[in-house]
Short mmCIF file of all heavy atoms in Angstrom, two decimals:
data_model
loop_
_atom_site.label_atom_id
_atom_site.label_comp_id
_atom_site.label_asym_id
_atom_site.label_seq_id
_atom_site.Cartn_x
_atom_site.Cartn_y
_atom_site.Cartn_z
N GLN W 346 114.59 1.56 118.23
CA GLN W 346 114.55 2.97 118.64
C GLN W 346 113.62 3.70 117.69
O GLN W 346 113.76 3.57 116.48
CB GLN W 346 115.93 3.63 118.51
CG GLN W 346 117.04 2.98 119.30
CD GLN W 346 116.83 3.13 120.81
OE1 GLN W 346 116.22 4.10 121.26
NE2 GLN W 346 117.32 2.16 121.57
N VAL W 347 112.69 4.47 118.26
CA VAL W 347 111.80 5.26 117.40
C VAL W 347 112.21 6.72 117.48
O VAL W 347 112.41 7.26 118.56
CB VAL W 347 110.33 5.09 117.84
CG1 VAL W 347 109.42 6.02 117.03
CG2 VAL W 347 109.89 3.64 117.66
N ASP W 348 112.34 7.33 116.29
CA ASP W 348 112.63 8.76 116.24
C ASP W 348 111.64 9.36 115.25
O ASP W 348 111.76 9.17 114.04
CB ASP W 348 114.09 8.95 115.76
CG ASP W 348 114.47 10.43 115.72
OD1 ASP W 348 113.65 11.26 116.18
OD2 ASP W 348 115.57 10.73 115.23
N GLY W 349 110.63 10.03 115.76
CA GLY W 349 109.59 10.60 114.90
C GLY W 349 108.86 9.53 114.13
O GLY W 349 108.30 8.60 114.72
N ASP W 350 108.93 9.62 112.79
CA ASP W 350 108.17 8.66 111.98
C ASP W 350 109.02 7.43 111.59
O ASP W 350 108.61 6.63 110.76
CB ASP W 350 107.62 9.34 110.71
CG ASP W 350 108.73 9.84 109.78
OD1 ASP W 350 109.93 9.65 110.10
OD2 ASP W 350 108.40 10.41 108.72
N THR W 351 110.21 7.33 112.20
CA THR W 351 111.11 6.24 111.79
C THR W 351 111.50 5.34 112.96
O THR W 351 111.81 5.83 114.04
CB THR W 351 112.39 6.84 111.15
OG1 THR W 351 111.98 7.65 110.04
CG2 THR W 351 113.32 5.76 110.63
N ALA W 352 111.44 4.05 112.72
CA ALA W 352 111.88 3.07 113.73
C ALA W 352 113.14 2.40 113.20
O ALA W 352 113.20 1.97 112.04
CB ALA W 352 110.80 2.03 113.96
N GLU W 353 114.15 2.34 114.07
CA GLU W 353 115.39 1.66 113.71
C GLU W 353 115.42 0.33 114.47
O GLU W 353 115.33 0.31 115.70
CB GLU W 353 116.60 2.52 114.12
CG GLU W 353 117.92 1.84 113.85
CD GLU W 353 119.10 2.63 114.43
OE1 GLU W 353 119.04 3.04 115.60
OE2 GLU W 353 120.07 2.83 113.69
N ILE W 354 115.52 -0.76 113.72
CA ILE W 354 115.52 -2.09 114.34
C ILE W 354 116.92 -2.66 114.20
O ILE W 354 117.42 -2.85 113.09
CB ILE W 354 114.52 -3.02 113.61
CG1 ILE W 354 113.12 -2.39 113.66
CG2 ILE W 354 114.48 -4.40 114.23
CD1 ILE W 354 112.44 -2.37 112.34
N LEU W 355 117.56 -2.89 115.34
CA LEU W 355 118.87 -3.55 115.32
C LEU W 355 118.63 -4.99 115.73
O LEU W 355 118.18 -5.25 116.86
CB LEU W 355 119.83 -2.86 116.30
CG LEU W 355 120.22 -1.42 115.92
CD1 LEU W 355 121.00 -0.74 117.04
CD2 LEU W 355 121.04 -1.41 114.63
N GLY W 356 118.88 -5.90 114.79
CA GLY W 356 118.58 -7.30 115.07
C GLY W 356 119.32 -7.83 116.28
O GLY W 356 120.47 -7.45 116.53
N VAL W 357 118.69 -8.68 117.07
CA VAL W 357 119.34 -9.30 118.24
C VAL W 357 119.41 -10.81 117.99
O VAL W 357 118.67 -11.35 117.16
CB VAL W 357 118.55 -9.00 119.54
CG1 VAL W 357 118.59 -7.52 119.88
CG2 VAL W 357 117.09 -9.48 119.43
N GLU W 358 120.32 -11.46 118.72
CA GLU W 358 120.48 -12.92 118.57
C GLU W 358 119.22 -13.67 118.98
O GLU W 358 118.75 -14.56 118.31
CB GLU W 358 121.63 -13.41 119.47
CG GLU W 358 123.02 -13.15 118.93
CD GLU W 358 123.41 -14.17 117.87
OE1 GLU W 358 123.00 -15.33 117.98
OE2 GLU W 358 124.11 -13.77 116.91
N ARG W 359 118.70 -13.28 120.17
CA ARG W 359 117.59 -14.03 120.75
C ARG W 359 116.52 -13.09 121.28
O ARG W 359 116.83 -12.00 121.76
CB ARG W 359 118.05 -14.87 121.96
CG ARG W 359 119.35 -15.59 121.80
CD ARG W 359 119.63 -16.40 123.06
NE ARG W 359 118.83 -17.62 123.09
CZ ARG W 359 119.17 -18.72 122.44
NH1 ARG W 359 120.27 -18.77 121.72
NH2 ARG W 359 118.42 -19.80 122.50
N LEU W 360 115.29 -13.56 121.23
CA LEU W 360 114.19 -12.88 121.92
C LEU W 360 113.75 -13.81 123.04
O LEU W 360 113.82 -15.04 122.88
CB LEU W 360 113.02 -12.65 120.95
CG LEU W 360 113.31 -11.78 119.72
CD1 LEU W 360 112.16 -11.88 118.72
CD2 LEU W 360 113.53 -10.33 120.13
N SER W 361 113.31 -13.26 124.15
CA SER W 361 112.89 -14.11 125.27
C SER W 361 111.44 -13.85 125.61
O SER W 361 111.03 -12.68 125.75
CB SER W 361 113.71 -13.81 126.52
OG SER W 361 115.06 -13.90 126.21
N GLY W 362 110.70 -14.93 125.79
CA GLY W 362 109.26 -14.85 126.05
C GLY W 362 108.93 -13.90 127.19
O GLY W 362 109.67 -13.78 128.16
N THR W 363 107.82 -13.19 127.05
CA THR W 363 107.41 -12.22 128.07
C THR W 363 105.90 -12.00 127.96
O THR W 363 105.22 -12.64 127.15
CB THR W 363 108.17 -10.89 127.89
OG1 THR W 363 107.90 -10.05 129.00
CG2 THR W 363 107.75 -10.17 126.62
N ALA W 364 105.38 -11.06 128.74
CA ALA W 364 103.96 -10.69 128.63
C ALA W 364 103.86 -9.35 127.91
O ALA W 364 104.66 -8.45 128.16
CB ALA W 364 103.35 -10.58 130.02
N MET W 365 102.90 -9.25 127.02
CA MET W 365 102.71 -8.01 126.25
C MET W 365 101.23 -7.65 126.23
O MET W 365 100.38 -8.50 126.51
CB MET W 365 103.20 -8.20 124.80
CG MET W 365 104.69 -8.39 124.68
SD MET W 365 105.20 -8.89 123.02
CE MET W 365 104.99 -10.66 123.09
N GLN W 366 100.97 -6.41 125.88
CA GLN W 366 99.59 -5.93 125.81
C GLN W 366 99.32 -5.48 124.38
O GLN W 366 99.99 -4.58 123.88
CB GLN W 366 99.45 -4.73 126.77
CG GLN W 366 98.07 -4.13 126.85
CD GLN W 366 97.18 -4.87 127.83
OE1 GLN W 366 97.61 -5.18 128.94
NE2 GLN W 366 95.96 -5.17 127.42
N ALA W 367 98.35 -6.10 123.70
CA ALA W 367 98.05 -5.71 122.32
C ALA W 367 97.56 -4.27 122.29
O ALA W 367 96.70 -3.89 123.09
CB ALA W 367 97.00 -6.64 121.73
N THR W 368 98.11 -3.49 121.37
CA THR W 368 97.79 -2.06 121.31
C THR W 368 96.75 -1.76 120.23
O THR W 368 96.02 -0.78 120.31
CB THR W 368 99.07 -1.28 120.96
OG1 THR W 368 99.72 -1.97 119.87
CG2 THR W 368 100.01 -1.21 122.13
N ASP W 369 96.71 -2.58 119.20
CA ASP W 369 95.79 -2.41 118.08
C ASP W 369 95.85 -3.71 117.27
O ASP W 369 96.62 -4.61 117.62
CB ASP W 369 96.19 -1.19 117.21
CG ASP W 369 97.61 -1.32 116.68
OD1 ASP W 369 97.80 -1.93 115.61
OD2 ASP W 369 98.54 -0.85 117.35
N LEU W 370 95.05 -3.78 116.21
CA LEU W 370 94.93 -5.03 115.46
C LEU W 370 96.28 -5.55 114.93
O LEU W 370 96.72 -6.65 115.27
CB LEU W 370 93.94 -4.82 114.31
CG LEU W 370 93.89 -5.81 113.18
CD1 LEU W 370 93.63 -7.22 113.69
CD2 LEU W 370 92.82 -5.40 112.17
N ARG W 371 96.96 -4.77 114.10
CA ARG W 371 98.20 -5.29 113.48
C ARG W 371 99.35 -5.30 114.48
O ARG W 371 100.25 -6.13 114.38
CB ARG W 371 98.58 -4.47 112.24
CG ARG W 371 97.48 -4.31 111.21
CD ARG W 371 96.94 -5.60 110.64
NE ARG W 371 95.73 -5.34 109.84
CZ ARG W 371 94.93 -6.27 109.36
NH1 ARG W 371 95.14 -7.56 109.60
NH2 ARG W 371 93.86 -5.95 108.65
N GLY W 372 99.33 -4.37 115.42
CA GLY W 372 100.34 -4.37 116.48
C GLY W 372 100.22 -5.64 117.31
O GLY W 372 101.22 -6.29 117.65
N GLY W 373 98.98 -6.04 117.61
CA GLY W 373 98.75 -7.28 118.37
C GLY W 373 99.23 -8.49 117.59
O GLY W 373 99.87 -9.40 118.14
N ALA W 374 98.96 -8.49 116.28
CA ALA W 374 99.41 -9.61 115.44
C ALA W 374 100.94 -9.66 115.42
O ALA W 374 101.55 -10.75 115.47
CB ALA W 374 98.86 -9.45 114.02
N ALA W 375 101.57 -8.48 115.38
CA ALA W 375 103.04 -8.44 115.37
C ALA W 375 103.59 -9.04 116.67
O ALA W 375 104.61 -9.74 116.65
CB ALA W 375 103.52 -6.99 115.22
N MET W 376 102.92 -8.78 117.78
CA MET W 376 103.38 -9.35 119.06
C MET W 376 103.29 -10.87 119.04
O MET W 376 104.18 -11.57 119.53
CB MET W 376 102.54 -8.78 120.22
CG MET W 376 102.85 -7.34 120.49
SD MET W 376 101.65 -6.61 121.63
CE MET W 376 101.61 -4.95 120.96
N ILE W 377 102.22 -11.38 118.44
CA ILE W 377 102.08 -12.84 118.34
C ILE W 377 103.22 -13.40 117.47
O ILE W 377 103.87 -14.39 117.82
CB ILE W 377 100.69 -13.21 117.76
CG1 ILE W 377 99.62 -12.85 118.79
CG2 ILE W 377 100.63 -14.68 117.37
CD1 ILE W 377 98.19 -13.07 118.32
#
Side-chain angles (χ1 to χ4, degrees):
Q346 302 293 331
V347 174
D348 182 7
D350 63 1
T351 302
E353 177 187 48
I354 302 131
L355 293 171
V357 294
E358 282 281 326
R359 317 182 77 82
L360 299 169
S361 306
T363 188
M365 293 170 275
Q366 182 84 45
T368 45
D369 57 87
L370 165 56
R371 307 301 170 190
M376 288 169 214
I377 292 176

